[in-house]
Amino acid sequence: MNHRYSVAALLALMTITSHASVEPAQIERSLSLRDQWMPLTRDLMQSPTWAASGDQFHYKLSVEGGFMFFRDSVQQAKPTPAFDHQHIATALAQASGTTIDAMHLPFDQFRYTNNDQSIRFYYANQSWQCQLTEVHCEVLTWPNRPRGFSVVRDLRVEAHNPLRPSPDGRYQAHTVGYNVSIQTSNGDTVFATTDGTADNFYDPESIRWAPDSSALVVMKVTPGTARYVDRVLSAPTDQLHPQTITQIYPKPGDAVDIDQPVLIHIERGTAQVVNNELFSQPYQIDRVQWQPDSSSFSFRYVERGHQRVRLIDVNAATATPRTVVDEHSDTFVDMWGGFYQTLQQGDKGAIWLSERDGWAHLYHYNGKGELVNQVTRGDWRVRSVVHVDEQRQQIWFAASGMYEGQDPYYVHYFRVNFDGSELTPLTEGNAHHEAVFSADMNHYIVIRSRVDLPPVAELRRSADASLVRVLANADISRLTAAGFKPPKPFVAKGRDGQTDIWGLIVTPQNFDPKQRYPVIENIYAGPHDSFVPKSFWPFGFHSGGDKVIGMQALADLGFIVVQIDGMGTNNRSKAFHDVAWQNLADSGFPDRILWHQAAAKQFPWYHIADGVGIYGASAGGHSTVAALEFHPEFYRVGVAYAGNYDNRMDKISWNEQWMGYPIGEHYVASSVVEHAHKLTGALLIINGEQDSNVDPASTIQLVDALIKAEKDFDLLVVHGGDHAVGRSTGPIRYIQRRQFDFFLRHLGQKETPRWNQL
């Protein structure tokens, strides 16, 4: 290949431009900002949790020196420490081999177990249980056979196959080889199948007994593609040479396990294969559930491609299936936000969540599969269902977008009758709400806040939403005195000229409106949710992620940092969401660019004329590179973490949900690997070699494509790093500093310290 340059061009390439420099102390302040500010709040409540029964609850609260968990009750109003924090810190440190601070325990939520003698929580990607009376913590392991993203069983691992007793105790079932065997309680075999094979076996973990013990349903499985991803741990701590770690990892287009329900009647001694005409193209069959009277069992059928979902009911006497609910979409049925609950009283049926009228709403079906009525309706969406009360014919749910003049993402809570009457609000005020209800639904704790409103936690009665007492009223006076300023919400019209696009603007602590600041966007455009913070909790991952504190740390280096929910993200209308369908590279950029331009028009200090910076992780990493490739006239500098750069390389579950099935040219069109030759801006790629969420080979394939296209870029691969490396795990300060340096040099046009010489 011949390259010809003019003398002027060569001189330009050799010219070294003199830039202003950034002192190490300035970067150190940003790196330390979270640790400096985190201790400055008081009485800020997190994660209220009710006991499994009764009126007791517990929560995490910011106090002098850190955080503590407290226990309280509806009647007593005398919060006490939930446990001995130093005891738990000591026990967890011994078990995990890490340093644990009693005032900064590494979990936000727990549950009491073993008659309140232990607590159970999630830490370091594992479930833990710690005893409260002895210095002992242990990792809880689950015996079930692993499934790759819930659709392909890992046949290298033996299935959990204990004797599963019938409800009346007369029988017990398990598998012998590839077949089901049913015995009496004294061990006599009363029935066994004989048609199971290695390629079509009965799964013991799927056995579900009828409540009257007359029958059971079990899945007969045709295995899918056993795709495994090998990762190399290059520098193990216990040996010199590398280790290989293997993970089952089905990808888009792979064959999934085909589960075929089989109904076994004990006294008849029959095994009836349920006719699969109504569920012949499964992506997944799940939530097998018997009616209390044993008359039938039901399951949810998700068709391959995520465009059809059915609730199937199977008659226990005849093994005849019928459709109770049939949900279809020309784009996708959102399984990430799906909900249904079968009803067990009256004419049975189900409560079902659907977006069929353009918004997420609830529908009531009877036992014949007929629509009784649409329960909720309007240009707003049901966000989640808290409780279905068949006795009172009521539904308790969370919703957003109902109130004119409020941020359409703010969540409120309501109660409504099955017939849609008496829609009753349980929260009020122009704010975002998080509510948790007692087991008997008589009381609830609600935390009300905004990004600019410190949280207030209240205990209320469910009957009339009346206030019992205020549990905590956050004090951020010291945080404010230290320089904290809440981010500024900003709204602009999207690509259609009508839809409001919401985002936040974070300015430096020493902000001067007479100056002009380059802009950096923190992006995550995954269709499974919305991501701009709505509640007051600015702390999170060190690098920011979707939390305000990380954006503030970056802004303090002389930038404006923003976060936006463009079209294609969730929690608005179905049309808003559908923009992502088979087009993840869109990432809402037409809306985001208009939003930036509207901000620049309104604020003289919002400088985008020389290009905008962008950073993100996972799907945000993909979007970061897509911004530089597909919108190079606007986005000029990017830092991409752990990106799923080609949707064909990523996990089957998330990608087929939004990109569909079968695999086609639309996957190629959204791949930033395929379009690596379009890169013109500055790019830093960061990846952990032990990413179990996104195949690390996705990053290396992007690197390979960039090299072949003779593109310059920076690459940081972190030994042992997982999917969250640099954001909540790994050498966070180092990785964060590399991101800061990159933006300062390439967007801020400033020289950064020569760190190796310091």
Side-chain angles (χ1 to χ4, degrees):
M1 184 180 294
N2 294 320
H3 296 285
R4 295 183 178 178
Y5 298 99
S6 67
V7 172
L10 287 170
L11 289 173
L13 288 170
M14 296 170 62
T15 299
I16 299 175
T17 304
S18 177
H19 300 310
S21 61
V22 180
E23 294 300 319
Q26 185 179 355
I27 296 177
E28 174 60 31
R29 281 193 295 272
S30 285
L31 290 171
S32 304
L33 188 64
R34 181 182 185 273
D35 291 337
Q36 292 170 359
W37 280 5
M38 190 78 162
L40 300 181
T41 64
R42 295 293 179 272
D43 297 327
L44 194 154
M45 181 187 288
Q46 291 177 267
S47 308
T49 305
W50 289 88
S53 61
D55 65 356
Q56 289 192 337
F57 53 87
H58 58 266
Y59 50 83
K60 185 177 182 180
L61 197 71
S62 60
V63 297
E64 189 74 35
F67 295 86
M68 287 185 64
F69 291 92
F70 290 91
R71 195 175 191 177
D72 203 348
S73 71
V74 172
Q75 303 300 330
Q76 290 183 345
K78 293 181 180 179
T80 58
F83 47 75
D84 184 332
H85 289 62
Q86 185 58 59
H87 172 93
I88 295 298
T90 301
L92 186 58
Q94 289 181 4
S96 65
T98 58
T99 301
I100 305 293
D101 182 350
M103 296 301 289
H104 294 88
L105 293 174
F107 53 91
D108 293 326
Q109 194 168 22
F110 74 91
R111 287 198 175 275
Y112 289 105
T113 57
N114 300 328
N115 295 319
D116 291 0
Q117 298 303 301
S118 303
I119 61 171
R120 187 172 295 178
F121 53 87
Y122 198 68
Y123 162 59
N125 298 318
Q126 294 176 307
S127 292
W128 289 79
Q129 183 164 285
C130 294
Q131 295 185 24
L132 299 181
T133 55
E134 298 181 22
V135 181
H136 178 75
C137 292
E138 61 182 344
V139 174
L140 299 176
T141 58
W142 311 110
N144 286 3
R145 169 184 277 158
R147 294 195 192 189
F149 306 110
S150 301
V151 293
V152 178
R153 294 164 175 84
D154 189 347
L155 299 183
R156 300 173 302 169
V157 181
E158 287 293 326
H160 186 48
N161 188 26
L163 288 167
R164 301 174 190 272
S166 61
D168 64 6
R170 294 175 58 199
Y171 304 106
Q172 48 195 8
H174 68 151
T175 60
V176 178
Y178 303 118
N179 286 286
V180 173
S181 176
I182 301 171
Q183 305 168 351
T184 62
S185 57
N186 60 14
D188 296 331
T189 300
V190 295
F191 180 80
T193 63
T194 58
D195 59 339
T197 66
D199 296 327
N200 196 210
F201 61 87
Y202 289 91
D203 178 17
E205 296 177 352
S206 70
I207 292 172
R208 299 290 184 272
W209 279 100
D212 66 1
S213 303
S214 64
L216 62 83
V217 61
V218 61
M219 295 296 170
K220 196 177 183 189
V221 180
T222 301
T225 300
R227 181 190 294 278
Y228 296 99
V229 166
D230 294 326
R231 301 191 304 274
V232 176
L233 184 61
S234 56
T237 57
D238 58 348
Q239 67 183 50
L240 176 62
H241 296 286
Q243 293 177 346
T244 300
I245 298 172
T246 303
Q247 173 190 0
I248 190 164
Y249 195 104
K251 296 185 178 184
D254 286 350
V256 300
D257 288 355
I258 304 298
D259 288 5
Q260 170 61 59
V262 177
L263 179 63
I264 298 177
H265 281 278
I266 310 304
E267 294 188 3
R268 295 183 195 173
T270 59
Q272 296 174 274
V273 176
V274 179
N275 187 308
N276 73 345
E277 184 177 351
L278 296 175
F279 49 94
S280 62
Q281 301 175 61
Y283 169 79
Q284 189 174 37
I285 290 175
D286 64 3
R287 295 186 59 181
V288 176
Q289 181 181 9
W290 283 89
Q291 282 288 343
D293 62 5
S294 300
S295 61
S296 68
F297 66 88
S298 62
F299 57 84
R300 182 174 61 180
Y301 161 67
V302 181
E303 192 164 280
R304 193 73 185 264
H306 290 81
Q307 292 181 291
R308 185 180 297 279
V309 179
R310 285 179 174 144
L311 175 59
I312 304 291
D313 186 78
V314 180
N315 185 291
T318 64
T320 303
R322 63 185 179 84
T323 299
V324 179
V325 183
D326 188 351
E327 188 73 27
H328 176 265
S329 173
D330 292 335
T331 55
F332 54 77
V333 178
D334 178 10
M335 299 308 300
W336 290 71
F339 171 85
Y340 80 91
Q341 182 167 321
T342 57
L343 303 177
Q344 301 176 350
Q345 299 180 11
D347 63 1
K348 301 178 182 177
I351 301 296
W352 184 270
L353 181 70
S354 169
E355 292 184 285
R356 68 189 61 169
D357 75 347
W359 297 86
H361 283 298
L362 297 170
Y363 295 78
H364 179 200
Y365 284 83
N366 64 22
K368 298 178 181 179
E370 300 168 336
L371 178 62
V372 178
N373 61 278
Q374 183 173 344
V375 181
T376 61
R377 66 176 67 244
D379 292 348
W380 50 273
R381 65 179 293 119
V382 172
R383 294 284 291 270
S384 63
V385 175
V386 175
H387 180 65
V388 176
D389 188 333
E390 290 193 56
Q391 192 71 30
R392 294 185 174 88
Q393 298 277 288
Q394 291 177 335
I395 305 170
W396 310 56
F397 66 95
S400 59
M402 186 178 292
Y403 294 116
E404 190 83 22
Q406 286 194 18
D407 184 323
Y409 295 94
Y410 285 167
V411 170
H412 288 267
Y413 288 79
F414 302 87
R415 184 175 58 238
V416 67
N417 293 334
F418 278 15
D419 63 6
S421 64
E422 298 186 28
L423 179 65
T424 304
L426 300 174
T427 55
E428 61 183 13
N430 185 11
H432 180 77
H433 297 79
E434 302 170 44
V436 290
F437 291 77
S438 60
D440 59 12
M441 300 299 294
N442 287 335
H443 295 87
Y444 60 99
I445 298 168
V446 60
I447 300 176
R448 180 178 66 254
S449 74
R450 297 189 305 264
V451 292
D452 60 348
L453 176 69
V456 177
E458 299 171 335
L459 176 64
R460 290 183 174 269
R461 296 181 183 86
S462 300
D464 56 5
S466 60
L467 178 67
V468 177
R469 66 179 181 273
V470 174
L471 299 174
N473 197 336
D475 178 359
I476 65 165
S477 57
R478 280 184 275 191
L479 183 65
T480 302
F484 171 77
K485 297 179 297 183
K488 300 176 176 63
F490 183 73
V491 186
K493 297 301 180 183
R495 68 188 74 181
D496 60 3
Q498 298 179 346
T499 304
D500 284 339
I501 304 297
W502 289 73
L504 290 178
I505 298 175
V506 177
T507 58
Q509 292 183 64
N510 61 353
F511 174 70
D512 180 355
K514 296 179 181 179
Q515 292 189 21
R516 303 174 76 195
Y517 295 89
V519 177
I520 300 173
E521 180 180 344
N522 168 16
I523 189 169
Y524 193 92
H528 59 278
D529 207 345
S530 53
F531 306 97
V532 175
K534 300 300 174 183
S535 59
F536 188 95
W537 180 239
F539 312 103
F541 300 144
H542 268 273
S543 68
D546 60 348
K547 299 300 182 182
V548 171
I549 188 66
M551 298 166 68
Q552 185 67 64
L554 183 55
D556 286 349
L557 296 174
F559 301 104
I560 301 297
V561 185
V562 305
Q563 192 170 6
I564 309 162
D565 279 322
M567 290 187 183
T569 53
N570 207 340
N571 297 324
R572 298 286 289 277
S573 68
K574 174 66 170 166
F576 190 102
H577 200 188
D578 277 348
V579 168
W581 172 238
Q582 297 189 342
N583 187 21
L584 290 179
D586 178 277
S587 296
F589 286 125
D591 314 300
R592 296 169 188 275
I593 291 171
L594 288 170
W595 191 95
H596 283 291
Q597 291 170 341
K601 185 176 182 179
Q602 182 168 333
F603 307 119
W605 39 264
Y606 197 98
H607 181 60
I608 62 174
D610 296 327
V612 170
I614 187 168
Y615 71 98
S618 193
H622 173 271
S623 295
T624 294
V625 181
L628 300 181
E629 291 181 353
F630 302 131
H631 304 279
E633 75 293 343
F634 193 82
Y635 294 99
R636 305 286 176 82
V637 182
V639 179
Y641 289 81
N644 54 333
Y645 301 115
D646 189 315
N647 300 110
R648 297 168 295 182
M649 282 289 293
D650 194 18
K651 59 196 148 298
I652 188 173
S653 53
W654 192 86
N655 293 274
E656 282 198 12
Q657 165 71 86
W658 316 115
M659 294 294 288
Y661 175 85
I663 311 306
E665 287 302 309
H666 55 288
Y667 275 81
V668 177
S670 282
S671 167
V672 297
V673 177
E674 297 281 354
H675 298 86
H677 61 280
K678 297 179 180 179
L679 179 70
T680 60
L683 172 63
L684 168 60
I685 301 170
I686 301 174
N687 205 76
E689 68 169 5
Q690 293 303 312
D691 191 336
S692 61
N693 186 303
V694 174
D695 184 351
S698 184
T699 291
I700 303 305
Q701 289 183 2
L702 174 61
V703 166
D704 180 57
L706 290 169
I707 292 173
K708 288 176 178 176
E710 298 191 15
K711 297 295 181 178
D712 288 345
F713 60 95
D714 286 23
L715 173 65
L716 173 59
V717 176
V718 181
H719 152 69
D722 61 15
H723 190 60
V725 71
R727 292 167 284 139
S728 61
T729 64
I732 295 173
R733 282 176 55 88
Y734 175 79
I735 296 169
Q736 185 67 59
R737 194 256 293 165
R738 291 288 300 271
Q739 175 179 312
F740 289 171
D741 281 11
F742 197 79
F743 280 124
L744 284 167
R745 290 197 308 270
H746 294 281
L747 190 66
Q749 299 299 302
K750 295 180 180 179
E751 290 186 1
T752 57
R754 298 183 178 182
W755 296 101
N756 289 355
Q757 298 178 12
L758 295 179

